[in-house]
Amino acid sequence: MFPFIVVLFLAVPIVEIYLLIQVGQVIGAGWTILLVVLTAVIGVWLLRIQGLSTLTRAQQKLQANEMPAREILEGMALVVAGAFLLTPGFFTDTIGFLLLFPPTRIALVNLVASRMVVSATMQRKPRAPQGGDVIDGVNYHRED
């Protein structure tokens, strides 16, 4: 896993720089900068809409006494999308917009959810000891 992350941290900036240079040669440096800023602004606006929608669905599930697991995973995907959208560049913006697009995000969430194992344990509440008062977990009793 560690070598993959190192390669990712080296490859993504190289791809971004390459794409910025290529786009800058075609449309000019000023338009390239404007386009990068514009994609960030549009991305943040769409992120706000999608985030509020996901939050609303999570609250509805909580009110119905259901666990909003998918909504939590979608929220995590939206956080990653926001990070990609705020990172200047066309490659990261593309990944960010793909995560903002509901069908792509839901497919990713379903893939992640299918690989997760959820386990829960229930513990019984301890019974209060007979014949005394319990204060802060200590059993006090009188000896008459």
Side-chain angles (χ1 to χ4, degrees):
M1 184 69 172
F2 180 72
F4 175 74
I5 292 174
V6 170
V7 169
L8 206 80
F9 274 103
L10 292 174
V12 170
I14 292 171
V15 170
E16 289 291 5
I17 291 169
Y18 175 78
L19 289 174
L20 287 170
I21 290 171
Q22 293 301 313
V23 171
Q25 287 178 346
V26 173
I27 65 173
W31 288 110
T32 303
I33 293 170
L34 180 67
L35 191 58
V36 168
V37 171
L38 185 64
T39 58
V41 169
I42 291 171
V44 168
W45 177 68
L46 290 172
L47 180 64
R48 181 178 173 268
I49 292 170
Q50 292 295 315
L52 289 173
S53 171
T54 303
L55 179 63
T56 301
R57 283 184 285 129
Q59 287 175 338
Q60 289 171 347
K61 282 207 170 180
L62 285 172
Q63 288 175 350
N65 289 329
E66 297 177 21
M67 178 66 170
R70 293 230 184 256
E71 287 74 14
I72 291 171
L73 290 174
E74 281 191 47
M76 291 169 59
L78 289 172
V79 167
V80 172
F84 278 125
L85 287 167
L86 291 177
T87 303
F90 297 114
F91 180 70
T92 53
D93 283 349
T94 302
I95 295 172
F97 279 117
L98 284 173
L99 288 172
L100 274 181
F101 188 56
T104 310
R105 184 177 67 244
I106 290 169
L108 178 69
V109 165
N110 288 339
L111 177 70
V112 170
S114 70
R115 295 177 180 261
M116 292 178 68
V117 176
V118 179
S119 65
T121 59
M122 292 182 55
Q123 294 180 342
R124 291 186 169 180
K125 287 186 175 181
R127 300 179 110 197
Q130 301 295 329
D133 295 326
V134 177
I135 301 172
D136 290 331
V138 178
N139 186 12
Y140 294 95
H141 63 280
R142 290 185 299 197
E143 293 184 19
D144 293 311

